[in-house]
Amino acid sequence: MRLSAAINSFKSSNLISWKTTGKLQQTLAGCIELSGKTLHSGKVSKVKIWPGFAGEGRYFEFHSNLIPASIDFVRESLLCTTLCKDGYKIRTVEHLLSALEAKGIDNCRIQIQSLDSEDTEVEVPFFDGSANAWVEAIEQVGRKEALDRCGNNVEKLAPHLSEPFYVSRNDSFMAAFPASKVHISCGIDFPKVPAIGCQWFSSAALDDSYEKHIACSRTFCIYEEVEHMCSMGLIKGGSLDNAIVCSATKGWLNPPLRFPDEPCRHKVLDLIGDLSLFARSGSQGFPMARVISFK
């Protein structure tokens, strides 16, 4: 079961209830503007993130089309998370959404454009393959209480589990258990790539540990798989500057790593971005649960 199917299953279940976090919804205190090369198309795109109204959540604007950052608009895609509405696609959204969710930016308008005005799909800039650029930009402009269009603040809710939830496909699985706080344990296993091997990483994820221990972890890939990915029209913008590359026989080709378990930490970064798509109306997307993910 792919992650989008898992989240849809979770979303449609009666296993969750929405409860207050004791906080008010937040937004950016100013505008963020960043541009850069994208991973798969290799094109340059530009992103402007504007403060948003409370209750309206996070959404993209592309060619005047509004696409909510919601599981309702996810489409299956290779090696990235893609949102699609009315024929327009936003690809590789997971790093940006991970940073917004972890830094508590509940409402914002994400205006994105490609240098080619005829494009009907666009990617979020990839930078160094981590979420660092987004976290630093959010820190620079700051955060403020979001108000709705009538000038009122809005309570921030979060999804809570009533009982354990589990999905699997072959030997990959994700489980979630009721908890009073967010906690993630993530495992990966690359038995044919000894330099990576089996790794586990655990974190409270949505507290200060995100910025220090998760946001700076970079995308990784296996050198022996690069040619195949290129033949599929992927990673045209990939390089040793925006990913850490590991060979099954030679080990890491562009050390040093930022952490010994950087690949596993990056999977946590991606998971936060994907589960943020469960958010609605400015709520927290990531469930208040102990989440365990493997492969």
Side-chain angles (χ1 to χ4, degrees), residues 10-250:
F10 178 56
K11 183 177 180 181
S12 63
S13 75
N14 57 2
L15 300 179
I16 62 164
S17 59
W18 294 85
K19 300 179 182 178
T20 181
T21 62
K23 302 175 183 178
L24 298 175
Q25 291 185 18
Q26 302 289 303
T27 189
L28 293 168
C31 180
I32 290 172
E33 185 171 345
L34 292 175
S35 61
K37 182 183 286 189
T38 61
L39 175 62
H40 292 302
S41 71
K43 297 180 179 181
V44 172
S45 65
K46 180 178 179 181
V47 172
K48 292 182 75 172
I49 311 178
W50 301 86
F53 289 103
E56 297 187 3
R58 298 180 285 254
Y59 59 93
F60 289 85
E61 180 182 348
F62 180 43
H63 290 323
S64 300
N65 293 273
L66 304 183
I67 306 176
S70 164
I71 189 63
D72 295 328
F73 298 96
V74 169
R75 295 297 178 268
E76 300 290 359
S77 58
L78 290 172
L79 299 181
C80 69
T81 301
T82 299
L83 300 172
C84 181
K85 183 183 178 188
D86 299 330
Y88 291 95
K89 292 182 179 180
I90 316 290
R91 303 175 69 196
T92 325
V93 300
E94 56 269 33
H95 297 176
L96 170 55
L97 294 180
S98 180
L100 292 170
E101 176 79 359
K103 298 300 291 181
I105 306 301
D106 310 306
N107 304 277
C108 61
R109 175 166 59 96
I110 307 165
Q111 195 173 39
I112 185 168
Q113 62 186 69
S114 170
L115 294 186
D116 186 345
S117 61
E118 300 299 315
D119 284 343
T120 58
E121 65 177 65
V122 66
E123 282 184 72
V124 175
F126 206 63
F127 303 118
D128 70 347
S130 77
N132 250 356
W134 299 116
V135 169
E136 290 172 0
I138 293 167
E139 286 289 318
Q140 186 173 2
V141 302
R143 191 176 68 177
K144 68 177 182 179
E145 181 183 311
L147 302 177
D148 66 17
R149 292 182 181 271
C150 295
N152 301 312
N153 55 42
V154 177
E155 193 174 41
K156 181 174 180 175
L157 304 179
H160 286 250
L161 282 177
S162 61
E163 59 184 84
F165 179 82
Y166 177 86
V167 290
S168 65
R169 184 182 63 176
N170 300 323
D171 61 344
S172 303
F173 71 84
M174 185 168 67
F177 301 88
S180 59
K181 298 191 244 186
V182 169
H183 191 278
I184 301 175
S185 294
C186 181
I188 60 174
D189 189 20
F190 289 82
K192 296 182 180 180
V193 188
I196 300 177
C198 186
Q199 301 179 2
W200 281 91
F201 177 74
S202 295
S203 173
L206 301 187
D207 61 10
D208 292 340
S209 68
Y210 178 85
E211 188 171 344
K212 296 177 183 176
H213 302 297
I214 298 173
C216 55
S217 58
R218 295 162 293 176
T219 295
F220 69 98
C221 72
I222 310 305
Y223 174 75
E224 287 78 7
E225 297 176 356
V226 168
E227 184 176 347
H228 176 64
M229 289 188 285
C230 290
S231 71
M232 298 174 69
L234 302 171
I235 64 167
K236 294 177 182 177
S239 74
L240 294 177
D241 294 324
N242 59 21
I244 46 176
V245 183
C246 192
S247 166
T249 57
K250 298 178 181 179

Side-chain angles (χ1 to χ4, degrees), residues 256-274:
L257 271 61
R258 293 173 179 171
F259 308 96
D261 54 359
E262 186 172 357
C264 194
R265 293 177 190 235
H266 186 80
K267 290 299 185 182
V268 172
L269 187 162
D270 286 339
L271 183 62
I272 294 169
D274 284 338

